[in-house]
Amino acid sequence: MSQSSLHNSLANKIAVLFCGLLFCLSLSGCAKERVCSTKPTFFPPPPDKARIQWLTGITTSKDIGAKESQSGFSVFLSGQEKPDIIRTVGKSNGIVAYKNKLYVAEIAHGRVLIIDPVKGTFEYLKGASTPKGALKTPANLAFDSEGNMYVADTDRREIVVFDKAGNYVTAFGGNLAKDSKIVSVGVYKDVLYALDLGTSRIRVLDRKTGVESRSFGYSDQPNQSLRAPYNFTFDSAGAIYVTNVGNNKVMKYDIDGNFLGAFGGTGARPGLFVKPRGVAVDDAGRIFVADGGVNIVSVFDDKFRLLTFFGWPGLETGSLDIPSGIAVTKENLSYYQKYAVPGFQLESLIFVVNQFGHDFCIPRISIYGLGQMQGQGDGGSEPKVDTKGDVREKGGKDKP
């Protein structure tokens, strides 16, 4: 046999073995599906009074009981029924809780996921499947009072607008400035605010035309100026909180753009940040900051005092892995109460997007409940936090 024939024979055998291995792995008896713990985890841990419990998570449509099977006509044509279609949450950034649904900006596949955990549905924004509405890298999104959705797409360098039915409406913002790069959007009293990473400022736009009326955030005073801003949110009074990676602080401005203060700074100790990303404010004025550098969410009061933090690495459940977007809501509390341990009463829900970690049983969307055990009162003063230790050492390991 020639050397060429030997090589071909060997290649054929390898191909057959590889195909057989793939077939084997596709069978349930050959590869065991990862079984992840559902053990509840509390923050802060005992002996402090529990205020936050890790409840559950979402990585695929199976996690909410969503099912999508072939149509009857498809079964008729093929003569057999295929397994249910499983939809997966890819690498994502922003998340919004709006009218009992979760809207997730999935940067991995350029789409917006629409998840209804209560009804068990997992859909894609339909308007993004049209040529004009096609998304490339959706980073964050927001809604106005009419239900219109505004998506900041960093690759399109535009804000893409969809109506309340999910249909494409328009896109604007591509000509705001030479170096402009909108990474996040927000709506307050039907005025559109756009966070511009490229020029380190917030631009105020007409939500229907995209015409800019003013901008703020960039200043000659370094301690008051935005530098590499990542995300922002509003509190109930209209104050604006911006995660600022350039100085690892959260910057606060009023609705007119006046600087009101800042907190944080560079460091791995509680109260400081390594890479602040997502930010949310609840109706009590508590500020939640997702730090992708140390994989925790820190919680502050309206005076910028650290109350607690959660999600550190090394936990059986409840760890975070490169957290980005965060949303806090009171919607669907009764539904998620079933995930809380007996006696722990939920007051609000915290949804955190993990960009990585699903290979280590860290869901793409981690869901926590803020509340307290019945009988422990209104909590009195918040637990004291040791601000001297390194938060990265809290859980011991880098991966659970």
Side-chain angles (χ1 to χ4, degrees), residues 196-207:
D196 191 339
L197 169 65
T199 62
S200 292
R201 66 194 69 210
I202 294 176
R203 299 184 182 276
V204 185
L205 312 176
D206 183 289
R207 66 185 175 96

Side-chain angles (χ1 to χ4, degrees), residues 15-311:
V16 170
L17 289 172
F18 181 69
C19 291
L21 177 61
L22 291 179
F23 177 75
C24 179
L25 291 176
S26 68
L27 299 177
S28 60
C30 295
K32 292 184 178 180
E33 184 178 352
R34 179 184 293 273
V35 178
C36 299
S37 174
T38 58
K39 176 184 176 182
T41 300
F42 289 98
F43 308 92
D48 288 321
K49 294 179 180 179
R51 292 307 311 271
I52 295 171
Q53 182 196 330
W54 179 83
L55 300 174
T56 185
I58 302 173
T59 298
T60 74
S61 53
K62 290 173 59 178
D63 295 323
I64 60 169
K67 292 185 178 182
E68 183 179 345
S69 302
Q70 286 178 285
S71 66
F73 184 67
S74 175
V75 174
F76 172 77
L77 290 178
S78 64
Q80 58 183 356
E81 186 173 356
K82 295 181 179 179
D84 293 331
I85 298 172
I86 305 300
R87 293 182 171 179
T88 302
V89 181
K91 183 180 179 182
S92 302
N93 194 65
I95 185 170
V96 172
Y98 177 71
K99 291 190 174 181
N100 300 312
K101 295 180 180 180
L102 298 176
Y103 293 79
V104 183
E106 189 190 61
I107 57 179
H109 302 105
R111 58 195 179 192
V112 172
L113 312 180
I114 306 172
I115 302 172
D116 188 330
V118 178
K119 294 184 178 179
T121 59
F122 190 117
E123 304 169 337
Y124 304 127
L125 179 65
K126 65 178 182 180
S129 63
T130 63
K132 290 185 177 181
L135 300 172
K136 294 182 178 180
T137 309
N140 286 287
L141 56 98
F143 291 89
D144 65 17
S145 64
E146 298 176 357
N148 298 307
M149 180 194 300
Y150 302 82
V151 182
D153 192 310
T154 56
D155 272 4
R156 284 186 58 154
R157 290 183 176 266
E158 291 182 308
I159 299 170
V160 190
V161 187
F162 303 88
D163 65 20
K164 63 180 180 180
N167 301 305
Y168 169 79
V169 175
T170 187
F172 49 69
N175 58 351
L176 289 172
K178 179 182 178 181
D179 298 321
S180 179
K181 185 177 183 180
I182 304 301
V183 294
S184 189
V185 286
V187 179
Y188 184 76
K189 291 188 175 179
D190 279 344
V191 176
L192 180 63
Y193 294 76
L195 185 62
D196 191 339
L197 169 65
T199 62
S200 292
R201 66 194 69 210
I202 294 176
R203 299 184 182 276
V204 185
L205 312 176
D206 183 289
R207 66 185 175 96
K208 294 186 180 295
T209 65
V211 174
E212 181 178 0
S213 59
R214 59 189 174 93
S215 67
F216 60 89
Y218 183 81
S219 172
D220 293 333
Q221 302 181 52
N223 63 331
Q224 298 185 17
S225 181
L226 294 179
R227 290 158 47 201
Y230 193 93
N231 210 335
F232 77 110
T233 192
F234 300 92
D235 66 17
S236 58
I240 301 169
Y241 299 79
V242 187
T243 50
N244 202 44
V245 179
N247 62 4
N248 287 319
K249 291 185 177 183
V250 175
M251 315 289 281
K252 182 179 180 180
Y253 302 87
D254 67 18
I255 203 68
D256 296 318
N258 299 304
F259 178 74
L260 299 179
F263 63 94
T266 302
R269 299 197 313 273
L272 302 178
F273 306 114
V274 175
K275 193 172 183 180
R277 292 181 163 218
V279 59
V281 181
D282 68 10
D283 56 6
R286 289 177 290 239
I287 309 160
F288 299 75
V289 184
D291 191 335
V294 290
N295 296 328
I296 64 169
V297 170
S298 297
V299 187
F300 301 82
D301 67 12
D302 57 0
K303 301 295 190 298
F304 307 158
R305 295 173 298 196
L306 180 65
L307 300 177
T308 189
F309 59 94
F310 62 91

